[in-house]
């Protein structure tokens, strides 16, 4: 039986294939807990999990909180708007104070890349990255990998096309690391201003032709257009034009394989990167969200019990 040894979960770049598989293999038993009438086990009774969210979040924050609570851990949450960070305290000092209150695990989301890594190097408590800037979003990629494996029965050899705002996407980066380590072929597709320089060094193919990306795919992972992160030298002319050139519509999906899996990490801009009828009738978005709780239960359990 393989054992989890790492103090922190900061990104899929840091994990090897065995570590990714260890997490994915643990997920099913946690998924079953969420299907019971009493969705709670005493696995982490007496442990304390702190949730530090310094950037807006619905899915990840709620999912982590539910996951910790279903494992019977005590949870505390704070954000920049309700903590002493507003009074000038540094994030590291705030985290050290939470650690001094014997928190076992700190889950953090921040708009700056590298913040979870910095905290992890300074704290004895485990640190779990819930998304840092453009860098990584490891639990999103793990829930995507779990959903692909659940639906397709494997990841090795699958063709996965990641579509859209690659430049600003921590989800794309974490997915590419995970998919490549598990043997998938990854293509990235989007408008040139949203394609980061050097992305091919991650072992992916690049295409600017959306029909080609759709035709060859077993899985489409469609990214949100992150308008709020676009700068003058990294932007698209308009959302309407984006939809015309890259939006996933029923019409475009006529070229797709019959059993194509359509995913999106959320939040969705309906009618921009994906049409509303594709979201509601063809996608597995809510199944991804459902799997997210179980994936986060597995991650919290492994880190808190290492
Ligand atoms: N997918 C994701 O991270 O969503 P939230 O920003 O709502 O957490």
């Amino acid at each position: 039986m393989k054992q989890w040894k790492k103090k922190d979960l900061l990104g899929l770049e840091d994990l090897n294939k065995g570590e990714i598989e260890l997490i994915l293999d643990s997920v099913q038993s946690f998924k079953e807990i969420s299907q019971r009438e009493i969705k709670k086990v005493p696995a982490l009774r007496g442990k304390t999990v702190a949730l530090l969210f310094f950037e807006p979040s619905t899915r990840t924050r709620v999912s982590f909180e539910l996951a910790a609570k279903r494992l019977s851990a005590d949870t505390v949450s704070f954000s920049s708007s309700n903590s002493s960070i507003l009074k000038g305290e540094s994030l590291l000092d705030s985290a050290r104070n939470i650690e001094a209150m014997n928190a076992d695990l700190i889950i953090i989301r921040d708009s700056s890349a590298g913040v979870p890594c910095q905290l992890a190097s300074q704290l004895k408590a485990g640190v779990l990255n819930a998304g840092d800037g453009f860098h990584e979003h490891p639990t999103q990629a793990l829930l995507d990998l779990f959903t692909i494996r659940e639906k397709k029965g494997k990841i090795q050899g699958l063709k996965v096309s990641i579509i859209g705002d690659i430049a600003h996407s921590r989800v794309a980066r974490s997915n590419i690391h995970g998919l490549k380590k598990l043997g998938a072929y990854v293509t990235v597709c989007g408008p040139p201003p949203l394609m980061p320089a050097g992305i091919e060094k991650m072992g992916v193919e690049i295409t600017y032709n959306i029909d080609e990306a759709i035709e060859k795919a077993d899985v489409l992972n469609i990214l949100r257009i992150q308008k709020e992160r676009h700068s003058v030298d990294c932007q698209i002319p308009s959302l309407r034009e984006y939809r015309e050139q890259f939006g996933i519509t029923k019409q475009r999906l006529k070229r797709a394989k019959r059993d194509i899996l359509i995913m999106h990490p959320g939040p969705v801009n309906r009618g921009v990167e994906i049409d509303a009828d594709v979201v509601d009738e063809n996608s597995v978005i809510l199944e991804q969200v459902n799997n997210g709780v179980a994936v986060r239960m597995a991650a919290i359990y492994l880190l808190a019990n290492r």
Side-chain angles (χ1 to χ4, degrees):
M1 172 79 179
K2 286 182 272 182
Q3 261 202 321
W4 182 263
K5 299 224 169 70
K6 286 195 158 73
K7 175 175 90 67
D8 313 295
L9 174 53
L10 302 172
L12 294 202
E13 186 174 12
D14 311 325
L15 301 189
N16 60 37
K17 183 179 178 201
E19 289 166 327
I20 295 172
E21 285 177 341
L22 172 61
I23 301 174
L24 297 182
D25 291 346
S26 315
V27 175
Q28 191 56 39
S29 58
F30 292 104
K31 188 165 170 168
E32 278 155 23
I33 294 165
S34 293
Q35 287 159 351
R36 295 180 193 165
E37 198 176 330
I38 311 245
K39 304 171 186 58
K40 209 171 178 86
V41 290
L44 293 187
R45 200 161 54 193
K47 301 271 186 191
T48 303
V49 174
L51 299 137
L52 281 56
F53 275 73
F54 299 119
E55 194 191 67
S57 168
T58 300
R59 276 146 292 272
T60 313
R61 186 174 52 77
V62 174
S63 184
F64 268 121
E65 190 166 343
L66 281 177
K69 288 190 158 129
R70 286 181 186 173
L71 293 168
S72 300
D74 294 317
T75 59
V76 282
S77 15
F78 78 87
S79 64
S80 40
S81 63
N82 68 5
S83 72
S84 290
I85 286 176
L86 263 190
K87 301 184 219 164
E89 183 171 68
S90 74
L91 175 54
L92 181 56
D93 279 335
S94 288
R96 281 192 173 126
N97 278 271
I98 290 166
E99 185 180 53
M101 295 180 227
N102 299 107
D104 298 287
L105 184 63
I106 293 181
I107 298 170
I108 178 157
R109 168 171 287 196
D110 198 275
S111 54
S112 299
V115 167
C117 294
Q118 197 206 353
L119 285 192
S121 70
Q122 303 285 328
L123 300 177
K124 288 197 185 71
V127 175
L128 209 163
N129 181 4
D132 62 330
F134 305 167
H135 176 225
E136 283 232 32
H137 193 348
T139 55
Q140 178 66 49
L142 288 165
L143 76 87
D144 292 342
L145 292 170
F146 181 82
T147 306
I148 294 171
R149 206 171 76 164
E150 187 178 55
K151 292 283 176 189
K152 294 283 185 188
K154 61 173 188 176
I155 290 173
Q156 172 87 34
L158 289 181
K159 294 188 171 132
V160 180
S161 293
I162 304 178
I163 313 288
D165 192 349
I166 312 291
H168 300 101
S169 180
R170 55 197 176 207
V171 174
R173 249 168 284 281
S174 289
N175 261 275
I176 292 168
H177 286 304
L179 287 163
K180 294 293 301 174
K181 285 174 188 180
L182 298 189
Y185 300 99
V186 182
T187 297
V188 290
C189 175
L194 301 183
M195 193 62 73
I199 187 82
E200 67 282 359
K201 292 191 191 117
M202 294 183 80
V204 298
E205 269 186 47
I206 303 172
T207 178
Y208 299 103
N209 181 333
I210 185 67
D211 295 325
E212 182 193 319
I214 291 173
E215 272 167 23
K216 68 176 171 187
D218 299 299
V219 179
L220 280 188
N221 201 345
I222 301 145
L223 304 172
R224 182 172 72 88
I225 291 296
Q226 302 193 46
K227 254 305 205 192
E228 75 282 5
R229 295 192 199 266
H230 292 184
S231 59
V232 278
D233 54 350
C234 187
Q235 59 181 307
I236 49 173
S238 74
L239 295 180
R240 189 182 53 78
E241 200 166 313
Y242 178 84
R243 178 185 176 273
E244 270 168 27
Q245 290 182 11
F246 292 96
I248 303 302
T249 63
K250 288 256 187 188
Q251 183 60 29
R252 282 220 160 96
L253 287 176
K254 286 184 180 158
R255 295 169 173 270
K257 290 184 185 171
R258 191 187 41 77
D259 60 348
I260 193 168
L261 193 65
I262 299 176
M263 308 172 76
H264 189 305
V268 171
N269 293 309
R270 286 175 181 246
V272 180
E273 66 265 2
I274 181 169
D275 274 5
D277 53 0
V278 179
V279 171
D280 296 330
E281 294 162 30
N282 304 93
S283 83
V284 293
I285 293 172
L286 293 180
E287 290 174 71
Q288 290 173 259
V289 173
N290 181 272
N291 285 335
V293 178
V295 164
R296 290 174 177 120
M297 286 171 83
I300 292 172
Y301 179 81
L302 291 170
L303 261 69
N305 266 336
R306 101 202 120 81

